Amino acid sequence: MIFIDNEGHTNPKLNLALEEYALRHFDASTDYLLFYINEPSIIIGRNQNTLEEINQEYIDAKNIHVVRRVSGGGAVYHDLGNLNFSFITNHDGKSISNFKKFTAPVIKVLNDMGVSAELKGRNDILVNEKKISGTAQFSTGKRMISHGTLLFDTDMSEVAKALQVKMSKIQSKGHKSVRSRVANISEFLKTPISMANFKEQLLIGLYEASEPFETYKLTEDEWKAVHQLKAEKYDLWDWNFGRSPKFNIQRNKRFPIGEIDLRIFVEKGHISEVKVFGDFFGRQPVSDLENILIGVPYDKREIRKTLENVSIEDYFGTLETSDFIDLVYGSD
Ligand SMILES: Nc1ncnc2c1ncn2[C@@H]1O[C@H](COP(=O)(O)OC(=O)CCCC[C@@H]2CCSS2)[C@@H](O)[C@H]1O
């Protein structure tokens, strides 16, 4: 087993790029272990609709990263109190759902620390019925990633707030997260230890489970390639938001001019169809407004920009542009 040194980076986009790079390009004749800790972020599963998983207003205000990962499963919150472990190994054709193999050594180390952790359900590690770790896998060709979180001393109020979805009435085939009661490992330790110490103990425990163990430092060229993958994938709105499965939203609201009922269809992150119904009267056919919105990324800033020079009153009578934007994107 070779331990990959991530040099203490805490940018989730860089860490996920490093993980994917190692999966695709590192020596396929050996196993790797990577640890990473991310600054506040929500990490979305491969097949999720990002907007159905996040509290957009909250994450904007708090500058929380939103990043999609390559593995499936639900959305989790990371901060500097959450340690991620990632095994990069060969794929034997069977073990793609064999989480046990990868979680067992981690659980053993926790048990040795006096924490009564156990694997529950398909892929959660629980202590006293509370989740302290969520895991997921991804495979490509002969290689696979089996990775998981370890809530050590994460700010739990942030977990709840950042993942509390406000976007209403969305329908999609996106994978929905399974919400659980969560806890920090530090709560279950008799003697308090720091994250650095926890990380070290975990590494030593995993080391004992699979000697020989050495550390690998990436070359300058490899780091360059990791940064390139970050720039071309993990930094992009198209990957983090746009790649969501198609969804539709239905919203209606009563205004002094009458009721407006809206249906929006979003594909590959862009508005593909809009239907506006209602008992309002405008000077222009509302289908013109529907057409203006087609092709626009389903993103509040982009929608605002598109409607900047559009006279909303032409379509509805007395109605503020901001009220219409709130109807299109939601303000709740
Ligand atoms: N950090 C963290 N760890 C464990 N559980 C969490 C965390 N954040 C939130 N949650 C809880 O899990 C559910 C979602 O559970 P769900 O089962 O839907 O999803 C997962 O567990 C995915 C784990 C992905 C692990 C990857 C490893 C490296 S990068 S991310 C969420 O609604 C919260 O209740």
Side-chain angles (χ1 to χ4, degrees):
M1 177 94 72
I2 296 176
F3 181 67
I4 303 170
D5 181 359
N6 89 325
E7 298 183 12
H9 287 295
T10 54
N11 182 314
K13 293 167 177 163
L14 189 66
N15 282 327
L16 291 182
L18 167 61
E19 186 179 44
E20 184 180 347
Y21 185 83
L23 170 78
R24 294 186 190 277
H25 301 287
F26 278 16
D27 180 5
S29 65
T30 182
D31 292 347
Y32 292 91
L33 171 66
L34 168 68
F35 280 174
Y36 53 92
I37 294 176
N38 290 327
E39 56 210 33
S41 36
I42 295 178
I43 310 296
I44 302 280
R46 183 182 188 90
N47 302 310
Q48 294 198 290
N49 177 11
T50 307
L51 295 179
E52 277 182 270
E53 300 295 334
I54 62 172
N55 180 344
Q56 173 108 54
E57 222 167 300
Y58 192 75
I59 59 136
D60 283 351
K62 289 269 186 144
N63 267 325
I64 296 170
H65 299 272
V66 176
V67 197
R68 188 186 299 277
R69 61 180 189 269
V70 288
S71 63
V76 284
Y77 176 79
H78 292 181
D79 66 6
L80 298 181
N82 176 86
L83 174 65
N84 302 290
F85 61 92
S86 177
F87 292 100
I88 300 167
T89 61
N90 274 338
H91 177 224
D92 60 16
K94 295 192 292 276
S95 58
I96 185 65
S97 58
N98 186 3
F99 284 101
K100 223 178 183 157
K101 180 170 157 191
F102 299 98
T103 49
V106 176
I107 289 174
K108 171 152 193 324
V109 176
L110 291 171
N111 291 165
D112 290 348
M113 287 178 180
V115 179
S116 55
E118 50 185 340
L119 186 65
K120 272 278 167 73
R122 218 169 63 86
N123 52 354
D124 291 344
I125 302 176
L126 268 60
V127 181
N128 287 357
E129 303 301 314
K130 288 190 186 151
K131 180 169 172 179
I132 53 115
S133 167
T135 64
Q137 288 177 313
F138 173 69
S139 79
T140 173
K142 289 198 165 58
R143 300 290 274 173
M144 69 189 283
I145 293 174
S146 305
H147 57 188
T149 62
L150 286 167
L151 290 164
F152 180 72
D153 59 3
T154 286
D155 186 338
M156 291 304 182
S157 64
E158 291 291 290
V159 178
K161 280 185 259 182
L163 296 172
Q164 189 186 57
V165 191
K166 295 287 177 66
M167 187 76 66
S168 57
K169 296 190 176 163
I170 302 189
Q171 286 185 324
S172 83
K173 291 206 164 71
H175 174 93
K176 312 285 185 288
S177 296
V178 183
R179 274 154 228 280
S180 302
R181 287 169 65 211
V182 283
N184 277 314
I185 292 163
S186 60
E187 286 174 38
F188 305 107
L189 293 171
K190 296 219 168 54
T191 340
I193 56 169
S194 66
M195 168 61 109
N197 199 329
F198 173 66
K199 205 168 129 179
E200 203 180 297
Q201 287 197 35
L202 183 65
L203 191 59
I204 293 169
L206 295 177
Y207 172 103
E208 280 166 359
S210 59
E211 281 181 286
F213 210 98
E214 51 185 279
T215 299
Y216 182 72
K217 272 179 150 346
L218 276 76
T219 64
E220 217 168 285
D221 280 349
E222 284 172 330
W223 273 121
K224 232 186 241 165
V226 170
H227 278 280
Q228 193 179 339
L229 179 59
K230 171 180 179 280
E232 289 172 356
K233 182 169 182 173
Y234 293 98
D235 279 348
L236 303 183
W237 183 90
D238 276 347
W239 169 253
N240 297 322
F241 286 82
R243 203 192 167 285
S244 297
K246 64 180 175 191
F247 62 91
N248 65 66
I249 294 182
Q250 193 218 326
R251 261 197 220 97
N252 61 300
K253 195 167 175 188
R254 179 157 287 286
F255 295 98
I257 44 121
E259 167 128 5
I260 303 181
D261 197 331
L262 208 63
R263 260 278 157 126
I264 302 170
F265 296 80
V266 182
E267 271 179 67
K268 298 201 170 86
H270 293 67
I271 298 174
S272 59
E273 200 184 335
V274 185
K275 287 278 165 255
V276 185
F277 307 99
D279 42 15
F280 49 83
F281 291 101
R283 286 191 298 274
Q284 304 280 344
V286 83
S287 58
D288 288 358
L289 179 62
E290 293 171 353
N291 288 331
I292 290 171
L293 286 167
I294 290 176
V296 175
Y298 192 71
D299 175 78
K300 198 156 195 170
R301 277 170 290 257
E302 297 287 341
I303 293 166
R304 201 178 281 138
K305 211 161 65 191
T306 304
L307 295 177
E308 222 162 45
N309 299 313
V310 173
S311 168
I312 289 296
E313 298 209 341
D314 285 353
Y315 304 99
F316 299 106
T318 316
L319 183 72
E320 296 285 333
T321 303
S322 60
D323 282 336
F324 183 68
I325 293 172
D326 284 350
L327 199 58
V328 174
Y329 197 81
S331 63
D332 41 352

